Amino acid sequence: MSKPINYAAQLDTAIAQLYEEGRYRTFIDIERQKGHFPHAVWTKPDGSKTPITVWCGNDYLGMGQNAVVLDAMHEAIDATGAGSGGTRNISGTTVYHKRLEAELADLHQKESALLFTSAYIANDATLSTLRRLFDGLIIYSDELNHASMIEGVRRGNGAKRIFRHNDVAHLRELLEADDPAAPKLIAFESVYSMDGDFGPIEEICDLADEFGALTYIDEVHAVGMYGPRGGGVAERDGLLDRIDIINGTLAKAFGVMGGYIAASEKMCDAIRSYAPGFIFTTSLPPAVAAGAAASVAFLKTAEDVRVKHQTQASILKLRLKGLGLPIIDHGSHIVPVIVGNPVHTKLLSDKLLEEHGIYVQPINFPTVPRGTERLRFTPSPVHGPKEIDALVRAMDELWSHCALNRAEMAG
């Protein structure tokens, strides 16, 4: 008989390694306060409660608290109950799902849209399924793409090429080296969430036209926030007609939950028919679909919310730069402050929460490269002067306390 394997000891070793490297992640138990975003209540490990301000949420525009969204969800749950009752193919397609898909198709000026339970699943399921639809498909993927895109590309078991981040010249080299007759797809993002930089959408579309490639863009950190109607950076730049497949989320700027793709009717029909991640998954609850549809429709005409969002982000970046903190500024709404050490990053995060009631998660390896560990702030239209003042004062104090450098990092 073979010697028993000590599985528990191996788990202990794996977790201990995270502690040693300062990368062990803890969950913060918070309860958001309806009507008072970005304020919440933190339940400490000892069970006591204290008020906090959330500075790292993805509800970028506060739509999770918007009365239009909440009213739509209440109406749907009163009318239909809680769950959808099935997959989209078997009893799980309702008027709410169809209405939401129509809103999303209109948002991105596409023929059709297809709902998934998350943008992660939408990326994974779509990219892996495309290989089944186009024999010999070569996928060209930006090296900093979301993990869900990487997983979808990997699971397809076909040829893949990884191009250096936003490096159009490198992408061209890779395209030129492959068979001109092979089907091709370029997968990239509009806003990369860790540095807040933008993808070179037009240049990539030009290459796609030249080499006969499909374009696949992940707009999860842009939908609702960029473009005249919130259609993302591609809409802002007048490039929607040059993108074949758009991936988006309902869980960030739209404030609810779920993901989707928007594309041609034929493309959505094929993904719907072949993707296991769509076929075998229970559909979103009708109330969630109703709330998301209301949010998308609302933001199509809420340019003032987008303007205020960008204004608050610009103010925060200006204030932090004034302290000499090393922030990365590519002009987006994301505000990364580079700490450069996992232990200091965790310490800053802990002290902000415990001493100042400010909640921001530390971002460490492998989410970002070693040596670029950071605090990533996501200001919203409802982070007002009072909240910004409190954050700036706390960062100034703690930066000095930890004896960190105040040399500004180039954006």
Side-chain angles (χ1 to χ4, degrees), residues 48-329:
S48 63
K49 298 178 181 291
T50 188
I52 61 170
T53 302
V54 178
W55 271 101
C56 58
N58 282 337
D59 189 353
Y60 288 132
L61 304 179
M63 290 300 294
Q65 308 285 305
N66 190 293
V68 170
V69 176
L70 300 183
D71 288 347
M73 295 184 76
H74 280 297
E75 180 181 328
I77 201 167
D78 287 343
T80 69
S84 69
T87 66
R88 288 293 297 275
N89 290 325
I90 306 176
S91 81
T93 294
T94 70
V95 64
Y96 300 100
H97 298 89
K98 299 301 291 183
R99 186 180 301 157
L100 175 53
E101 287 175 336
E103 284 284 2
L104 293 167
D106 172 74
L107 175 68
H108 295 292
Q109 297 173 36
K110 297 297 181 188
E111 293 177 343
S112 190
L114 191 64
L115 280 176
F116 293 81
T117 50
S118 73
Y120 187 106
I121 299 299
N123 270 332
D124 185 7
T126 302
L127 286 167
S128 60
T129 300
L130 286 171
R131 293 196 187 279
R132 300 177 62 186
L133 301 174
F134 303 108
D135 188 42
L137 178 69
I138 304 171
I139 298 181
Y140 304 79
S141 178
D142 189 289
E143 66 177 345
L144 294 188
N145 277 342
H146 277 126
S148 55
M149 300 174 76
I150 294 169
E151 184 66 12
V153 171
R154 185 191 65 79
R155 282 206 309 112
N157 294 323
K160 65 179 179 182
R161 312 283 185 257
I162 309 301
F163 61 93
R164 291 186 293 270
H165 179 51
N166 281 350
D167 191 334
V168 180
H170 186 219
L171 174 58
R172 170 179 285 280
E173 291 175 14
L174 296 173
L175 288 162
E176 288 176 337
D178 283 319
D179 180 359
K184 301 174 178 67
L185 179 139
I186 305 170
F188 62 107
E189 299 183 27
S190 61
V191 179
Y192 290 84
S193 62
M194 287 301 112
D195 284 356
D197 56 330
F198 294 94
I201 303 175
E202 186 170 16
E203 292 89 340
I204 288 177
C205 288
D206 289 343
L207 282 180
D209 290 345
E210 182 179 345
F211 289 91
L214 295 169
T215 49
Y216 185 107
I217 191 169
D218 179 313
E219 289 253 37
V220 300
H221 289 281
V223 290
M225 295 171 283
Y226 296 87
R229 300 194 309 154
V233 181
E235 185 199 26
R236 183 197 70 180
D237 295 348
L239 299 169
L240 284 177
D241 61 325
R242 303 187 65 186
I243 303 293
D244 293 295
I245 305 173
I246 297 172
N247 169 277
T249 184
L250 304 167
K252 291 183 170 63
F254 294 124
V256 193
M257 179 186 175
Y260 63 90
I261 60 167
S264 68
E265 186 174 355
K266 284 185 179 180
M267 183 67 77
C268 288
D269 192 24
I271 299 298
R272 176 188 70 83
S273 302
Y274 281 89
F278 177 86
I279 296 169
F280 299 107
T281 300
T282 298
S283 64
L284 290 170
V288 170
S295 184
V296 173
F298 176 88
L299 285 175
K300 286 178 181 177
T301 61
E303 183 63 14
D304 58 320
V305 176
R306 281 183 282 280
V307 170
K308 188 172 182 183
H309 182 215
Q310 293 294 327
T311 298
Q312 297 305 86
S314 297
I315 289 171
L316 179 60
K317 285 185 281 191
L318 189 63
R319 297 283 301 277
L320 294 175
K321 285 179 181 178
L323 298 177
L325 302 193
I327 81 165
I328 300 177
D329 183 5

